Amino acid sequence: MSKIKPSQGAPYARIMGVGGYRPTRVVPNEVILETIDSSDEWIRSRSGIQTRHWASDEETVAAMSIEASGKAIADAGITPEQIGAVIVSTVSHFKQTPAIATEIADKLGTGRPAAFDISAGCAGFGYGLTLAKGMVVEGSAEYVLVIGVERLSDLTDLHDRATAFLFGDGAGAVIVGPSKEPRIGPTVWGSEGDKSDTIKQTESWEAYRNGAPDKFPAITQEGQAVFRWAVFEMAKVAQQALDAAGITADDLDVFIPHQANERIIDSMVKTLKLPEHVTVARDVRTTGNTSAASIPLAMERLLATGEAKSGDTALVIGFGAGLVYAATVVTLP
């Protein structure tokens, strides 16, 4: 018989609060057209994107995260000192070590929580949310701060016609805490590493350090391959998340997919046969693709505008570089 004492966590976990931060600079398509041969109509028809936000020098990964986190903490009605873990999902913090989560935790005044970064691209928020749920239920932390944050403008090749218009900057954060009822469903997640070359950094930091290439590394992707994968495979994953939660599309109030491309969103809505009453996040139009930040930013905007309300049942799904994905059903805070 084991002598190890069983964990004393909560029966379930829930999202208690959400916060977001968008940089002050709004960048319309006209600015993008200064460096690529395209048109505003083409960009809108291919992606739905009209504007995006780009960070200033002062709007660092840490600074944006702190702003979003402060709002999430206030929304949850807790104090920073109560946070037992900080999870940051990002691919655009350029220091290999230490984890930016430790700096954010310190500047928020959280005390001495567990703090670490994860790299899961556009599925990063879903990965972080799943880890946070496990911590709360297992009992290693009562409240967990999950942050998705990106400065993708630093990794954008403004002369690449396929990607120059896609990416934006921002941070989204949620507080995950204990619940007496299931408010975060089972996660359907995974990876398809055989397709990892479809979204990638152009060159390694090592190659850049050694002088080849002379251009700063950027994010590139095979647009058509990514589009087909997202449309056909991720709708299946979304359906699996609904099945795992024991609900159908008719039970949904809100759909919050990764804000990669409005055509992908429209195709998923059609494939999933979502009823007209389901509110669909379309934050991509004015925020662009912010990778790990896109789902919490979209969630925060829907709640702030009243398009979604506390207690709504939402399906969230992230997918991207890796290729990785994560989908789950949640109750909105």
Side-chain angles (χ1 to χ4, degrees), residues 138-201:
E138 187 270 341
S140 60
E142 185 175 12
Y143 301 103
V144 181
L145 171 61
V146 180
I147 303 166
V149 56
E150 301 293 1
R151 273 180 57 115
L152 294 181
S153 58
D154 291 335
L155 286 167
T156 299
D157 181 352
L158 294 179
H159 297 277
D160 180 357
R161 189 174 184 271
T163 61
F165 59 90
L166 288 175
F167 302 120
D169 303 336
V174 299
I175 297 292
V176 177
S179 176
K180 295 180 181 179
E181 299 177 348
R183 298 294 178 90
I184 302 175
T187 300
V188 177
W189 56 353
S191 65
E192 297 184 38
D194 60 316
K195 300 180 181 67
S196 60
D197 281 348
T198 56
I199 307 175
K200 63 181 181 180
Q201 186 172 305

Side-chain angles (χ1 to χ4, degrees), residues 43-212:
I43 293 173
R44 292 188 187 218
S45 66
R46 301 291 291 183
S47 68
I49 298 172
Q50 304 167 22
T51 61
R52 73 285 291 144
H53 295 255
W54 283 355
S56 65
D57 290 343
E58 292 74 28
E59 291 168 317
T60 63
V61 167
M64 292 191 293
S65 297
I66 290 165
E67 289 290 334
S69 298
K71 295 175 183 178
I73 292 167
D75 193 41
I78 65 169
T79 64
E81 294 82 2
Q82 292 176 275
I83 294 172
V86 178
I87 303 170
V88 178
S89 178
T90 186
V91 299
S92 47
H93 170 54
F94 292 155
K95 282 187 178 180
Q96 197 72 34
T97 192
I100 193 64
T102 58
E103 177 184 339
I104 294 167
D106 177 64
K107 289 184 176 178
L108 284 171
T110 57
R112 300 175 65 182
F116 58 95
D117 300 349
I118 60 174
S119 177
C122 304
F125 175 74
Y127 275 52
L129 183 66
T130 303
L131 293 172
K133 173 188 172 182
M135 291 178 180
V136 171
V137 173
E138 187 270 341
S140 60
E142 185 175 12
Y143 301 103
V144 181
L145 171 61
V146 180
I147 303 166
V149 56
E150 301 293 1
R151 273 180 57 115
L152 294 181
S153 58
D154 291 335
L155 286 167
T156 299
D157 181 352
L158 294 179
H159 297 277
D160 180 357
R161 189 174 184 271
T163 61
F165 59 90
L166 288 175
F167 302 120
D169 303 336
V174 299
I175 297 292
V176 177
S179 176
K180 295 180 181 179
E181 299 177 348
R183 298 294 178 90
I184 302 175
T187 300
V188 177
W189 56 353
S191 65
E192 297 184 38
D194 60 316
K195 300 180 181 67
S196 60
D197 281 348
T198 56
I199 307 175
K200 63 181 181 180
Q201 186 172 305
T202 50
E203 296 288 346
S204 69
W205 298 121
E206 181 181 25
Y208 180 69
R209 180 191 65 186
N210 294 335

